[in-house]
Amino acid sequence: MPGQPGPVTGHAADRDGPIGWGHGPTGSIYDYIRVATFAIGPDGLISQWSSRAAEFFGVPAHEAVGADPVTAFVPRELWQRGRARLDRILSGEEWVGTAPYRDADGGEGLAEVYLMPDSGNPGATCLAVDLGRLRRIETDLAASEAVFGQTPTGFFLFGLDLRLQRVNDAFAAGLGLPHAELEGLTPHDLFLPGEAERLVIALRKVLAGGEPMLDLRFTGAVPRGVAAPARDAVRSWAISLYRLNSSAGLPMGIAGQVLDVTSRHVAEREAAGVRRSLALLNEASTHIGSTLDLETTAKELLDVIVPQFCDLASVDLYTALLSGDSGPIAVRPGLSDGCGELRRVAVSSVVGGASSVLGAEGSVPVAEAGGTLCYPRRSPHARALRTGRSVVPQPGPDPLLRSTLVVPLVAREQVLGLVQLARAIGSEPFDARDVAIAEELVARAAVCVDNARLYRREHERALILQRSLLPPGNPAATGLEIARRYLPSNNNTEVGGDWFDVIPLPGSRTALVIGDVMGRGLRAAVAMGQLRTAVRTLAMLDLDPAEVLTQLDEIARGLGGDSGAPGADSTELYLATCVYAVYDAVTQRCVFANAGHLPPVLLSPGEPARMLDVPPGLPLGVGGEPFEEVEVTLPDDAVLGLYTDGLVESRKHQLDEGLRAFRTALSNGSKQLEQLCDEVLDELIPHHGEDDIALLMAKVQTLPEDAVGDWKLPSEPTSVSKARELACGWLLVRGMDELVDTTELLVSELVTNALRHGRGEIRLRLLRDRTVMCEVWDDGYAQPRQRRAQETDEGGRGLQLVSLLAERWGSRRTPNGKIVWFELTL
């Protein structure tokens, strides 16, 4: 319109207008409350239209300027009232009130309108505010003030310079400082240096990225200037940070919420300590006592507690406990002065240069493992040994150690030794809970140590018993070179029931026995001893190998009966495997019988070693099946091998593989029997050795041609003199003149008895080895029995004479009769 100002739009007008006609570059409160400004000229028409007015009403400036504000923005029904009000304002009246308006989309709203006449100029300036938006802002501000001012949670506002701009009462009360002293402080004024730097980094990160950071944990001290003791009280805080943005999305500062979680932190630390303690005890229950070895058990305890629980520890045990003495090896609390000799069996430390574990009365050197020591009577260590109770010595002068603890090893009301624990400077000292945990750990270890002690004693006794039942030295056998080896298992667990024996029999025969009682420990060793004794007894009866195993089977089943011992299982079976072989040096024939054992191995000259085809049979103690016999002729220089399964079988190697390695070692081994034994063990033990090993090897040595004299005589009286003549002549030819008279007398007596009490052809045989043996064979089954002859008896003194003059004598059955024999020492 002519003569009226044109529309004002654009940034220039916004910057230069008297009341800010547009948006500022950084935004302002007007962006939140939605405000519009425009001017009305003297003619009542819009003369100026700001950009905020264009946004508020949705009408651009070129449409608004020159328009009637009443008809353009006021509902039709209010036009008359609006025109009257506008006329009064143009005449100089100021008006403030609410007025409905319609925006560009046709929606109706309510605005709070400020109409002010221009001073000295006709026209008016109008300021319109969206009343709905204004009420919401008022509500938000009230709610914000309520939260900030009345909540018990601490709130704060940091500016862009990372200084506190505002804090609420809860935050100020938590720090113990008034609001005025808190405003303007930086994080370095609130927290310790390390924690302050962490907070600064977090604040900058939130400012830069805009993402909130929740539940950050800080530990800080109350700032200086606060009266004690609050000034030195260290607290824990949980802080959440949020960036404050302007309407333009630019950062204005950082708001934060603070919770004092000191009590929660203490509770969490306590709970974490309890969890660590439970984990430590759980590890101890699974790690300590994995073996029945005293030294290993002590080391396992230290593996658990160092460094998880302490920085240095040692275990001392009474030397009597380690010596295997069957006498008292420990003392009951109160019955000792605690000055007995101990041996340090284990030491573990993560403290470099720690020189001693100190008590209140002096120092005790940290001896190397294996060293012996005695504690002074007044030392805390002696007091712990004497009373059986833990002692926490006063800190000593050692600059590396902060706290020490002495805990006695007590099991079954006996003190076995003690455990010393120490913590270095920088670690927390031992408290009451630590003492309780240490006592629980040591108590568990003490039970394992005592079990290892009891096992060691039983193991040593069983080992002594087992070795005492094995043949001493190299047993002699007619026509055989014997080599044997017995090795306990490599893992030093319980002794087994392996055994072997070489039993000389009449007639230049030898019984070779090897067996294995199933199971381990003292009971297996005792059962082995009983079976070995039974084998020797049965061998002296000159029973066939199959019959010997049959009788052994009955004995083994008897061993499995009710022992009468408290808690004994009356249904427990004693099972054993066994090979029993009888070798005749004259015929070079060997008869085998097997009771569930591994088959013998035979190495013949010029041939590879092979397994003998001996029926396996059932183990002793099972019963119900007869045992079979196999006769094998052994050639000159042949090697017969009997062994237990520990030699050829283990968890890592199958039996077939071990047997193949055994045969290979025999085939490629030395011609010397002792050396061959060593070579077999050297080849097989690296792959095995988890079980006891018994190895019995026999090499055939042919008897000299003149070692045997064998004659057959008819059943006639003249055979008595013929027998005397043959025997004496045989002795004289071999230079044994000193035995002629005795042999002549005893041969005459035995041949006479054969004629009188036997039947059929008579056989006379003389054998020379380490002794001279004379055998008289007949076809009678009646066994001779020595009896005491009365003065009036005409006979019955012949066997008494034999018993008096011979080194040994006896009789045995044959398939067709019997043999009566006597033996004379060379």
Side-chain angles (χ1 to χ4, degrees):
M1 288 179 289
Q4 292 187 350
V8 180
T9 61
H11 294 293
D14 291 338
R15 289 193 300 268
D16 300 334
I19 57 173
W21 294 103
H23 298 288
T26 60
S28 67
I29 187 64
Y30 299 109
D31 295 325
Y32 293 99
I33 61 176
R34 196 162 183 252
V35 62
T37 58
F38 57 91
I40 300 176
D43 55 0
L45 300 178
I46 296 175
S47 59
Q48 292 184 342
W49 189 256
S50 68
S51 59
R52 291 186 183 276
E55 180 182 351
F56 190 96
F57 294 103
V59 178
H62 68 275
E63 294 182 7
V65 173
D68 185 348
V70 175
T71 59
F73 304 107
V74 177
R76 179 181 297 274
E77 62 272 13
L78 299 178
W79 281 0
Q80 184 176 359
R81 292 176 55 189
R83 173 56 62 184
R85 177 64 63 189
L86 180 60
D87 291 342
R88 289 197 298 272
I89 292 171
L90 291 177
S91 62
E93 179 181 342
E94 182 177 346
W95 181 77
V96 177
T98 59
Y101 73 93
R102 183 180 294 107
D103 57 24
D105 297 330
E108 294 185 358
L110 188 64
E112 190 168 76
V113 181
Y114 300 84
L115 290 173
M116 297 164 288
D118 291 340
S119 59
N121 298 312
T125 300
C126 179
L127 177 67
V129 179
D130 189 311
L131 191 60
R133 181 73 65 84
L134 183 62
R135 295 293 178 263
R136 285 197 297 274
I137 292 176
E138 291 176 349
T139 302
D140 292 343
L141 289 174
S144 176
E145 286 296 324
V147 171
F148 201 88
Q150 301 177 28
T151 182
T153 302
F155 283 94
F156 61 81
L157 292 177
F158 273 103
L160 297 177
D161 57 356
L162 303 187
R163 291 182 177 273
L164 280 176
Q165 292 183 345
R166 184 181 179 187
V167 298
N168 68 346
D169 293 339
F171 183 84
L175 291 180
L177 293 174
H179 291 71
E181 295 186 19
L182 287 173
E183 293 180 1
L185 296 181
T186 67
H188 292 279
D189 300 320
L190 301 174
F191 293 95
L192 298 175
E195 298 293 85
E197 189 60 30
R198 287 183 56 226
L199 181 56
V200 169
I201 293 174
L203 291 171
R204 289 174 176 169
K205 185 175 181 180
V206 172
L207 277 176
E211 293 293 329
M213 299 183 70
L214 308 177
D215 201 27
L216 303 175
R217 297 298 178 96
F218 293 88
T219 300
V222 176
R224 297 182 181 274
V226 179
R231 178 179 57 200
D232 300 324
V234 177
R235 299 180 181 180
S236 297
W237 311 87
I239 299 179
S240 298
L241 302 175
Y242 311 88
R243 190 175 78 176
L244 297 178
N245 295 327
S246 68
S247 61
L250 299 177
M252 299 174 58
I254 301 172
Q257 181 182 13
V258 183
L259 291 177
D260 188 340
V261 293
T262 304
S263 58
R264 185 195 306 174
H265 179 74
V266 172
E268 290 176 350
R269 187 171 58 185
E270 291 290 329
V274 171
R275 288 193 296 269
R276 286 194 300 269
S277 300
L278 292 176
L280 193 66
L281 293 174
N282 181 65
E283 182 181 359
S285 64
T286 57
H287 188 71
I288 300 175
S290 62
T291 67
L292 288 174
D293 180 75
L294 287 169
E295 290 80 1
T296 301
T297 301
K299 292 176 182 177
E300 288 173 344
L301 170 62
L302 299 191
D303 290 341
V304 170
I305 62 177
V306 179
Q308 293 89 337
F309 184 75
C310 61
D311 302 311
L312 184 148
S314 62
V315 179
D316 304 332
L317 299 177
Y318 278 113
T319 54
L321 182 145
L322 298 166
S323 65
D325 186 2
S326 59
I329 51 80
V331 296
R332 293 184 181 276
L335 300 181
S336 169
D337 59 3
C339 301
E341 185 179 71
L342 297 99
R343 181 178 301 166
R344 182 146 294 171
V345 296
V347 177
S348 181
S349 174
V350 293
V351 181
S355 60
S356 59
V357 177
L358 300 175
E361 289 77 26
S363 64
V364 177
V366 178
E368 296 295 332
T372 59
L373 64 165
C374 296
Y375 292 107
R377 187 183 305 274
R378 295 181 178 274
S379 67
H381 311 82
R383 185 162 69 251
L385 291 170
R386 183 170 57 251
T387 62
R389 297 181 179 178
S390 300
V391 178
V392 182
Q394 294 298 322
D398 195 314
L400 296 176
L401 301 182
R402 180 175 185 180
S403 179
T404 60
L405 175 62
V406 180
V407 184
L409 279 156
V410 182
R412 299 177 177 92
E413 300 183 355
Q414 287 188 322
V415 180
L416 309 177
L418 57 82
V419 178
Q420 301 178 65
L421 307 96
R423 287 179 176 174
I425 296 297
S427 301
E428 293 291 331
F430 293 110
D431 55 20
R433 186 181 66 186
D434 292 331
V435 173
I437 294 172
E439 290 176 343
E440 177 66 22
L441 290 170
V442 173
R444 297 188 182 194
V447 173
C448 297
V449 168
D450 197 45
N451 290 339
R453 172 185 70 87
L454 296 175
Y455 160 74
R456 172 174 289 186
R457 184 173 63 183
E458 178 181 340
H459 176 77
E460 291 177 351
R461 291 176 178 176
L463 198 57
I464 292 172
L465 173 62
Q466 185 183 46
R467 288 176 174 171
S468 68
L469 295 174
L470 297 174
N474 286 327
T478 302
L480 293 175
E481 179 188 356
I482 301 295
R484 86 285 184 279
R485 299 289 187 273
Y486 175 78
L487 298 177
S489 59
N490 292 343
N491 55 17
N492 197 29
T493 56
E494 296 177 325
V495 296
D498 295 14
W499 94 92
F500 61 87
D501 209 345
V502 179
I503 308 170
L505 298 176
S508 298
R509 297 174 304 131
T510 303
L512 303 174
V513 189
I514 196 161
D516 184 2
V517 177
M518 297 181 186
R520 306 190 64 80
L522 185 60
R523 294 172 65 84
V526 170
M528 178 270 285
Q530 292 173 310
L531 291 177
R532 179 178 179 272
T533 302
V535 169
R536 279 193 159 263
T537 302
L538 294 171
M540 290 299 101
L541 296 177
D542 223 336
L543 299 177
D544 294 335
E547 184 61 25
V548 169
L549 294 186
T550 299
Q551 297 301 322
L552 276 181
D553 181 61
E554 292 293 334
I555 294 172
R557 282 191 285 172
L559 294 177
D562 189 358
S563 63
D569 186 0
S570 62
T571 63
E572 182 179 4
L573 292 177
Y574 278 89
L575 298 179
T577 61
C578 179
V579 169
Y580 185 87
V582 176
Y583 174 71
D584 189 331
V586 177
T587 64
Q588 294 186 216
R589 294 179 179 178
C590 191
V591 181
F592 297 91
N594 191 355
H597 202 81
L598 294 173
V601 175
L602 179 63
L603 175 63
S604 298
E607 300 179 5
R610 62 187 178 91
M611 316 299 296
L612 291 180
D613 187 13
V614 179
L618 295 178
L620 301 176
V622 176
E625 291 292 334
F627 297 98
E628 299 182 44
E629 293 181 352
V630 173
E631 183 176 277
V632 179
T633 299
L634 305 182
D636 295 346
D637 295 327
V639 175
L640 178 67
L642 304 177
Y643 53 95
T644 56
D645 57 356
L647 180 68
V648 294
E649 185 178 24
S650 73
R651 288 176 294 180
K652 297 181 180 179
H653 298 82
Q654 298 297 323
L655 177 60
D656 291 343
E657 181 182 348
L659 291 174
R660 183 167 54 254
F662 183 30
R663 295 195 301 270
T664 301
L666 284 176
S667 301
N668 301 331
S670 171
K671 301 299 182 181
Q672 303 299 320
L673 191 62
E674 289 291 338
Q675 185 176 348
L676 178 60
C677 267
D678 293 335
E679 291 173 353
V680 168
L681 292 179
D682 291 341
E683 180 68 25
L684 296 180
I685 284 181
H687 305 289
H688 303 284
E690 298 171 357
D691 195 4
D692 294 352
I693 295 175
L695 175 63
L696 178 62
M697 299 181 69
K699 186 174 184 179
V700 175
Q701 295 179 328
T702 306
L703 294 178
E705 294 182 0
D706 63 347
V708 180
D710 195 349
W711 306 274
K712 293 182 179 180
L713 303 172
S715 181
E716 298 176 356
T718 58
S719 294
V720 176
S721 59
K722 183 62 174 177
R724 289 196 299 264
E725 179 184 349
L726 292 172
C728 292
W730 189 83
L731 292 173
L732 290 173
V733 170
R734 288 157 180 79
M736 295 179 284
D737 303 32
E738 72 278 4
L739 300 180
V740 170
D741 293 339
T742 302
T743 302
E744 182 179 16
L745 178 60
L746 298 184
V747 166
S748 178
E749 182 63 35
L750 293 187
V751 174
T752 300
N753 285 342
L755 289 172
R756 182 178 300 174
H757 302 290
R759 55 192 175 93
E761 188 178 49
I762 297 173
R763 182 180 178 186
L764 174 64
R765 188 169 74 169
L766 274 73
L767 305 171
R768 177 184 178 180
D769 189 30
R770 291 175 301 276
T771 63
V772 172
M773 177 172 288
C774 177
E775 299 175 335
V776 176
W777 306 47
D778 64 58
D779 295 340
Y781 290 103
Q783 295 291 317
R785 181 172 60 88
Q786 184 180 357
R787 61 185 177 85
R788 185 177 298 277
Q790 303 297 323
E791 294 181 358
T792 58
D793 292 344
E794 295 182 359
R797 294 176 177 85
L799 291 181
Q800 290 183 2
L801 186 63
V802 174
S803 178
L804 179 63
L805 298 177
E807 182 72 22
R808 294 189 304 158
W809 79 278
S811 66
R812 70 178 190 272
R813 289 186 174 88
T814 65
N816 300 318
K818 66 178 179 297
I819 300 174
V820 182
W821 57 270
F822 67 85
E823 187 176 85
L824 297 177
T825 302
L826 291 174

